[in-house]
Amino acid sequence: MSVVDVVNKRTVTTIPAGMAMPQEIAISPDGCLAYLSSVWSATIAVLDLGKHQLLAGIPLNQVSNGVVFSPSGALAYIDTNTPGGGAIAVIDTATHQLVRTFPVSPHNTRGMAIHPDGSRLYALEQHRDPDVGQVAVIDPSSGTVLERIGVGTDASDIQVHPAGTLAYVVNRESRQAHGTVTVINMRTHAVAATVAVGKHPSRVAFHPAGNQAYVTNSGDGTVSVIDTASHAVVGVIEVDQTPQHVVFHPAGTHAYVSNPQRNSLSIIDTATQEVHGAVTVGSAPWGVALASNGRETATPQGTNGLEAGSVVAGKPIPISGVWAGLLLLVVGMTALHRHGQKLMG
């Protein structure tokens, strides 16, 4: 996992992730824990960001797609695929133990989101029929699927607006054609709009103010900027080859996009909608998340937090200089990337 200083635009350190080929990263609401998941590993790696160490490896019976936390942070929901279809594993974050697993769909699932109030989970179903796409609406307390919402083809990501009023689902459609975003009204669960974006879209993120959403288009190296009031594309930003994840600075001033083929993060100035530099990170970066400095996020055990912004596995690494309070954590599929390079060679 690469740790990036967002102020000085540099990689601070690279640390072991504690698992094979991490892809997704989620930060607990209190900023103390990072959960790493991967479709290549049947383990969830838990990093303690205050103690500077790999805290636990949670074994699962299946590989995992992604992680979302309950608003309180007491539970983590893991999107998994079993021989019988998609299921969600529930983790107690205090004990790092698997509490239960409940089935979601006879089809595999890929991607999940949670409503800001924690009342509903939304899981993307991966149907074999290319013309069918659905979102399963789940009661997390009972594990019951309440209904299904039809979306576009080959859905790859779902995110809920910060206000909880709507959700955006990214539909990749095909590698040749332009993809779409399905807009879902969270009150009625009806489709409110369908927005055409770039080729083979991958991920979506909402601006902290909620007025815009950024969609990465891995097929044409762009980011589509959507106005969330009109659900219309109001800008297209050229980034790099095959952009994947995108995350916003909490102040909304910048967005960060992972570029697996360039081993970098593109930095977008959201005011001008232009790329202002890039940061070199580890091999084939994928998931990206922002973590607060440990000095601002105190741990319950009274540890010292992130000394000068260092995040390590096992022991602290001193980093000199003034720290501005935020870290970008980037995970990548290094082993897979290197293996692919050998095959191509």
Side-chain angles (χ1 to χ4, degrees):
M1 181 174 71
S2 294
V3 182
V4 177
D5 174 348
V6 299
V7 175
N8 296 306
K9 301 178 182 179
R10 65 187 180 94
T11 297
V12 175
T13 187
T14 301
I15 66 175
M19 68 184 305
M21 304 180 193
Q23 288 179 283
E24 308 292 339
I25 180 169
I27 306 297
S28 60
D30 62 7
C32 294
L33 301 175
Y35 271 41
L36 311 185
S37 62
S38 173
V39 296
W40 302 93
S41 176
T43 302
I44 297 295
V46 183
L47 299 182
D48 186 320
L49 302 182
K51 293 183 178 179
H52 310 175
Q53 65 184 18
L54 177 66
L55 182 61
I58 306 173
L60 302 175
N61 295 324
Q62 307 85 23
V63 298
S64 55
N65 292 301
V67 181
V68 296
F69 289 93
S70 64
S72 68
L75 298 174
Y77 301 98
I78 319 294
D79 175 22
T80 68
N81 289 320
T82 73
I88 292 178
V90 184
I91 304 295
D92 184 324
T93 58
T95 62
H96 306 298
Q97 298 294 316
L98 178 64
V99 177
R100 63 190 176 111
T101 300
F102 54 83
V104 172
S105 171
H107 307 278
N108 284 346
T109 54
R110 178 177 56 199
M112 182 173 55
I114 190 168
H115 195 277
D117 65 10
S119 63
R120 295 290 182 266
L121 287 169
Y122 304 91
L124 299 177
E125 294 186 345
Q126 191 175 8
H127 289 251
R128 290 185 178 90
D129 185 342
D131 296 326
V132 175
Q134 289 186 323
V135 175
V137 182
I138 306 155
D139 181 345
S141 59
S142 65
T144 304
V145 176
L146 303 175
E147 61 179 299
R148 287 179 166 86
I149 306 168
V151 291
T153 304
D154 195 17
S156 61
D157 191 26
I158 179 171
Q159 296 296 328
V160 180
H161 189 276
T165 54
L166 54 87
Y168 275 18
V169 177
V170 176
N171 310 301
R172 292 192 287 191
E173 306 294 352
S174 73
R175 291 187 180 274
Q176 291 74 35
H178 282 257
T180 62
V181 170
T182 301
V183 182
I184 300 173
N185 183 313
M186 289 284 93
R187 184 178 61 84
T188 63
H189 288 165
V191 173
T194 300
V195 186
V197 290
K199 290 185 178 180
H200 206 60
S202 179
R203 304 286 173 164
V204 61
F206 287 101
H207 189 282
N211 60 326
Q212 290 184 336
Y214 279 21
V215 178
T216 55
N217 304 303
S218 62
D220 57 21
T222 65
V223 172
S224 296
V225 181
I226 300 176
D227 181 295
T228 56
S230 63
H231 307 308
V233 174
V234 294
V236 177
I237 306 168
E238 293 188 3
V239 282
D240 214 319
Q241 300 179 39
T242 63
Q244 294 299 329
H245 276 258
V246 57
V247 65
F248 281 94
H249 188 284
T253 55
H254 296 86
Y256 306 90
V257 177
S258 60
N259 305 303
Q261 291 193 7
R262 294 290 189 180
N263 301 335
S264 69
L265 287 176
S266 293
I267 303 172
I268 299 173
D269 184 320
T270 57
T272 63
Q273 294 185 7
E274 296 177 346
V275 174
H276 284 189
V279 179
T280 299
V281 292
S283 184
W286 204 263
V288 185
L290 270 161
S292 298
N293 187 299
R295 295 196 183 103
E296 298 178 357
T297 306
T299 60
Q301 294 79 12
T303 55
N304 293 327
L306 299 175
E307 292 299 327
S310 61
V311 182
V312 300
K315 60 180 181 180
I317 297 176
I319 304 296
S320 61
V322 178
W323 194 248
L326 287 171
L327 297 168
L328 267 176
L329 305 180
V330 190
V331 293
M333 299 179 289
T334 304
L336 178 64
H337 183 61
R338 290 175 179 168
H339 182 62
Q341 286 178 325
K342 290 179 181 179
L343 289 178
M344 292 299 290

